[in-house]
Amino acid sequence: MDKIKFIVIGFILLSVMSSCRYEEPSFSLTKLNDRIRGEWQVNKIEKNGVLSSEFPCYEERVNSIFSFYQTGVCLIDYSQDNSNIKTAEGTWEFGNKKKTIIVNAKGQNQVISRVYTIIKFSNKELILSYTDSNGNKWTLYLGLILSFIDYGW
């Protein structure tokens, strides 16, 4: 009887772990909507799989900070010409069964409408990618700076 319980529990755990949408912690008590809430800083950017000093737009560059709020508000703080701090304001939501993040924000000079595919999402790391209109695949590596879970934001 103990062998059957062990096999059933093992099968259930294997099923749960293999059904992950993307690379993430195997087990978390925090919902995805809560876990993403916070400030995420862009640490590096890849263009077509190669580390790049280029960036898709001012808002999506190294050191930009994406803030995702519980209300669906998204703020992107970025530096333009390495001096002036600007903020793009808009909205965010999960899409495609929480496999993507949809961001629509208005920056100083442009509107950013992105559907980012979530490559990795853990408590401290978020990796997003999208393909631009020229066929370039951009990958943004973000690290968590501040979680908003405790603040109710």
Side-chain angles (χ1 to χ4, degrees):
M1 191 66 161
D2 287 334
K3 287 183 181 181
I4 293 173
K5 286 181 186 178
F6 181 74
I7 291 171
V8 169
I9 290 172
F11 179 74
I12 291 170
L13 287 174
L14 183 62
S15 296
V16 169
M17 290 175 65
S18 66
S19 66
C20 291
R21 295 174 194 84
Y22 36 79
E23 188 179 339
E24 64 176 318
S26 303
F27 179 77
S28 176
L29 295 174
T30 308
K31 295 183 212 172
L32 289 177
N33 285 15
D34 290 336
R35 204 168 356 134
I36 197 168
R37 291 176 23 222
E39 292 181 350
W40 297 85
Q41 183 172 26
V42 178
N43 295 322
K44 70 178 182 177
I45 296 175
E46 290 180 354
K47 180 179 179 183
N48 299 320
V50 178
L51 189 61
S52 178
S53 59
E54 292 181 63
F55 47 89
C57 65
Y58 278 111
E59 294 80 3
E60 297 169 312
R61 62 190 309 168
V62 172
N63 296 325
S64 290
I65 297 173
F66 285 66
S67 299
F68 298 105
Y69 291 87
Q70 178 180 9
T71 58
V73 170
C74 176
L75 300 177
I76 306 171
D77 294 318
Y78 61 99
S79 173
Q80 187 170 353
D81 303 325
N82 294 326
S83 58
N84 300 330
I85 301 298
K86 306 284 185 184
T87 301
E89 300 178 22
T91 61
W92 77 272
E93 65 182 322
F94 283 112
N96 192 17
K97 299 181 183 178
K98 298 190 178 183
K99 294 179 185 177
T100 62
I101 297 176
I102 302 163
V103 173
N104 292 295
K106 185 176 187 305
Q108 187 77 7
N109 300 318
Q110 65 184 347
V111 174
I112 302 120
S113 288
R114 302 270 193 256
V115 178
Y116 297 103
T117 299
I118 301 170
I119 306 299
K120 181 177 182 181
F121 183 20
S122 68
N123 292 334
K124 301 282 183 197
E125 185 178 25
L126 178 61
I127 302 174
L128 306 173
S129 73
Y130 74 95
T131 303
D132 67 19
S133 58
N134 297 323
N136 295 309
K137 181 179 178 184
W138 295 93
T139 305
L140 284 67
Y141 293 79
L142 298 94
L144 183 66
I145 298 173
L146 174 67
S147 173
F148 294 158
I149 293 174
D150 295 336
Y151 303 105
W153 299 341

